[in-house]
Amino acid sequence: MAVTLLGKAGRGPAARESGFAAHRAGVDRLLASYRAIPRDANVRLAKKTSNLFRARAKNTAPGLDVSGLTRVIAVDPDARTADVAGMTTYEDLVAATLPYGLAPLVVPQLKTITLGGAVTGLGIESTSFRNGLPHESVLEIDVLTGAGEIVTATPDGEHADLFRGFPNSYGTLGYSTRLKIELEPVPPYVALRHVRFHDLRELEAVMGRIIAERAWDGERVDYLDGVVFSADESYLVLGRQTDEPGPVSDYTGMDVYYRSIQHDSARPKRDRLTIHDYLWRWDTDWFWCSRAFGTQNPSIRRFWPRRYRRSSFYWKLVALDHKYDIADRLEARKGNPPRERVVQDIEVPIERTADFLEWFLTEIPIEPVWLCPLRLRDESVARPWPLYPLEPGRDYVNVGFWSAVPTVPGQPEGAANRAIEREVSELDGHKSLYSDAYYDKDEFDRLYGGDVYPDLKKRYDPDHRLLDLYSKAVQRK
């Protein structure tokens, strides 16, 4: 039986219809705002938050009104599905599904990432070694196309090309207004094992075995990610779903989650979290990025309000830094050069993980880095997601690193990011496009669906109301 989450919760067909009626009103406001944008102006969302880290040209035109597209429409616990408005955050989505013992198949790490954003961009998490990427659990999508029409895209319907091409299109083919997604059962707790490695090759090999066997050392593995602190100190975090009651840790207070992973023993360190706290374990300190603001200093953390220990608040501080060049000004006062932002997620085939990490730890002075194994669910077609063509049946590892490095006089803009792009391409990998990119047009088209993308643009944005992917991701328009 479906349960509506728009407005007052209720059960039954009437409640579901009420939720969809409210959603339709939100779609009507979106369409009205789209028609009000001048035809020669760039179309963008009018939203207060973003998890993109690339600069954009200023836009004086009004944005799309998505204020009515920010809630869960309905949850069907029997079918294990949810209808969700495109601008709904995962924080709100999880809050709606956990009471039924259900969760999305992949829950990206940060609370303010939206479902629509994770699908039109890319999201990943510790279930991705078994559940793939967020768009792989989408059953159907309603999309406002560049042509100003709402179409419903499904894997096998009239708009199957849009369904396949929408992931990694970043709003250049349209914006999702509603997504129907699969959910999976989750028990109340997650039991963790933090396994230390002194050798990156051994770490790589163990990841491969866990992906294949879904177990390690006699215990099932339901969640898998890792952290690399240095070439001789890295960890895999193995999570097992459980309904066994018992004490749990809390990393929303004085303790910092990623520091809890480290240990000296040859035996795995064990921990337990509620499923809610596990899903949001990285958000309190934005992985480890909160240390840049002093939040991990106990004398500061003690007085830092708990409601501001979350990624969305740190993101606001970063936005202020970008606006006023605070960090570069402070570096200049110390006689140091400006710093280059290196905020990226890349994927390399699992057998090249140690190669990339060894190169990265030598060439790019950033630590720690995050690891998240990935295997696509869909193995039915050769290129199921053409704008981000990872190979079905092949294991990958996402490597995430988010910091800045000193610039070197005489080197081109984005020198470190350019070097990373070259290395990733040489290792047959891919890079997400939520941050700075420097590819030339030919290489970009080769990597990001250039043989398919023009046909999608012609069909769904014939008048070029929306920016194309290269203009948006690389040229920062």
Side-chain angles (χ1 to χ4, degrees), residues 265-284:
S265 172
R267 300 179 62 183
K269 180 181 179 182
R270 293 185 177 265
D271 199 356
R272 280 169 52 90
L273 293 171
T274 66
I275 181 62
H276 175 275
D277 285 356
Y278 176 79
L279 293 175
W280 302 128
R281 67 202 182 284
W282 293 119
D283 190 83
T284 299

Side-chain angles (χ1 to χ4, degrees), residues 84-155:
V84 187
M87 298 300 130
T88 305
T89 66
Y90 273 93
E91 181 175 24
D92 290 339
L93 176 53
V94 166
T97 62
L98 279 189
Y100 302 103
L102 299 170
L105 271 64
V106 181
V107 179
Q109 313 86 348
L110 306 181
K111 292 178 176 179
T112 56
I113 293 174
T114 63
L115 177 59
V119 170
T120 194
L122 282 176
I124 194 168
E125 235 296 322
S126 59
T127 56
S128 289
F129 78 105
R130 58 182 176 86
N131 288 339
L133 298 168
H135 55 264
E136 295 193 90
S137 54
V138 174
L139 301 172
E140 60 184 40
I141 323 172
D142 290 346
V143 179
L144 169 63
T145 69
E149 303 170 337
I150 303 289
V151 303
T152 299
T154 62

Side-chain angles (χ1 to χ4, degrees), residues 25 63 96 106 124 172 191 227 244 256 267 309 321 352 403 447-448:
V106 181
I124 194 168
T172 65
V227 179
E244 299 171 6
V256 178
R267 300 179 62 183
R309 292 182 206 152
D321 172 46
R352 309 308 301 270
S403 189
L447 292 172
Y448 299 99

Side-chain angles (χ1 to χ4, degrees), residues 213-254:
E213 299 172 8
R214 306 283 178 92
W216 188 79
D217 198 25
E219 291 186 37
R220 189 181 74 249
V221 176
D222 300 307
Y223 303 98
L224 174 63
D225 66 349
V227 179
V228 176
F229 291 89
S230 67
D232 59 3
E233 186 188 4
S234 58
Y235 300 85
L236 291 180
V237 179
L238 318 181
R240 176 175 56 84
Q241 298 173 344
T242 178
D243 56 7
E244 299 171 6
V248 293
S249 297
D250 179 2
Y251 296 105
T252 63
M254 292 298 294

